[in-house]
Amino acid sequence: MLHFAHGGLLVAGLIVTLFIASRIANHGVQGLSLGSFGAAEPSVSAMVDDEPAIEPVAEAAETPVKLSPDLQRVKAYVAKRYQVSAVALEPLLAAAQQTGRSVGVDPLLLVAVMAIESRFNPFAESPMGAQGLMQVIPRWHPDKVDVKADRSAMFDPNTNIRVGALVLKEYIQTTGSVERALQQYNGSSDPAAPYASKVMAVKAQLSQAARSGGKFVGA
């Protein structure tokens, strides 16, 4: 028995010696840590999991509409003429520019209507229920805006200008004239009513301001 035990210990010693030699050959002396005989080598997947996650690239913000040089000059004129902040006017004129181009109505006509109807107050409301920048009466245009779903829709400048432009475009097509369309927009059938002439006078002033570098051109 002692002979067999001695032989077994000798074999075990040889195995340990070979293992240590293998560790030194592969990893150097640093590879002989206390946990070398029991700890497993880290797997490739474990090492990959430790890598920091790559954050997704945020999508670029939508580029705001840039005013044309003419409307930049109009902005300076309107700010002085109507005593409205140029900063507050910027998105209103941008909406008029974009909507006018897409609907097919002169943006300066939309700006002129805003000047007469609300003096650029997006929260204006008349006793008759006309609302917002272009004083749209929602109940007259249910095909263009659903105020039952959102009762504050007409106080959103983009929505108000879009609906007002669509109404004007429709009236221009049915009457065949910008002046008659404006009279209808104002709810008047009298061709001698002053509303259309007032809007067209303001539009002429805006056109002059666009050409003259935004200089004040009178009341």
Side-chain angles (χ1 to χ4, degrees):
M1 291 180 64
L2 289 174
H3 175 75
F4 285 112
H6 179 73
L9 290 173
L10 181 60
V11 172
L14 286 172
I15 293 173
V16 172
T17 301
L18 289 173
F19 177 76
I20 292 173
S22 175
R23 293 289 297 184
I24 293 173
N26 292 329
H27 304 284
V29 178
Q30 290 82 358
L32 293 176
S33 62
L34 290 176
S36 296
F37 300 100
E41 291 290 332
S43 65
V44 174
S45 62
M47 290 190 289
V48 172
D49 289 343
D50 289 338
E51 292 293 325
I54 299 175
E55 294 293 333
V57 178
E59 293 184 3
E62 185 178 348
T63 304
V65 176
K66 186 176 181 180
L67 289 180
S68 67
D70 283 355
L71 277 176
Q72 286 285 2
R73 292 188 282 269
V74 167
K75 181 181 70 173
Y77 165 73
V78 169
K80 188 172 182 180
R81 169 71 177 82
Y82 295 91
Q83 298 182 350
V84 181
S85 163
V87 175
L89 281 172
E90 180 94 15
L92 307 185
L93 298 187
Q97 173 180 278
Q98 187 174 33
T99 300
R101 289 173 177 175
S102 63
V103 173
V105 175
D106 186 345
L108 289 184
L109 180 62
L110 301 180
V111 177
V113 170
M114 284 189 270
I116 293 296
E117 291 287 354
S118 66
R119 296 183 69 86
F120 304 98
N121 177 8
F123 304 110
E125 185 168 18
S126 76
M128 294 293 293
Q131 298 177 338
L133 289 165
M134 298 188 68
Q135 290 292 279
V136 177
I137 299 179
R139 67 177 182 272
W140 290 0
H141 309 286
D143 59 320
K144 297 177 181 63
V145 59
D146 184 7
V147 292
K148 292 181 180 179
D150 183 3
R151 298 188 65 180
S152 65
M154 283 294 92
F155 298 110
D156 172 67
N158 291 318
T159 301
N160 192 281
I161 293 171
R162 179 181 60 82
V163 173
L166 290 172
V167 172
L168 276 174
K169 178 65 177 294
E170 181 180 298
Y171 290 169
I172 291 170
Q173 290 175 335
T174 56
T175 63
S177 162
V178 173
E179 288 77 7
R180 286 196 291 271
L182 286 170
Q183 294 294 79
Q184 188 172 348
Y185 188 90
N186 185 239
S188 173
S189 57
D190 182 4
Y195 179 80
S197 60
K198 287 181 179 179
V199 173
M200 296 306 291
V202 171
K203 183 177 178 295
Q205 293 168 3
L206 297 175
S207 297
Q208 184 180 348
R211 295 190 302 268
S212 62
K215 295 178 181 178
F216 192 74
V217 291

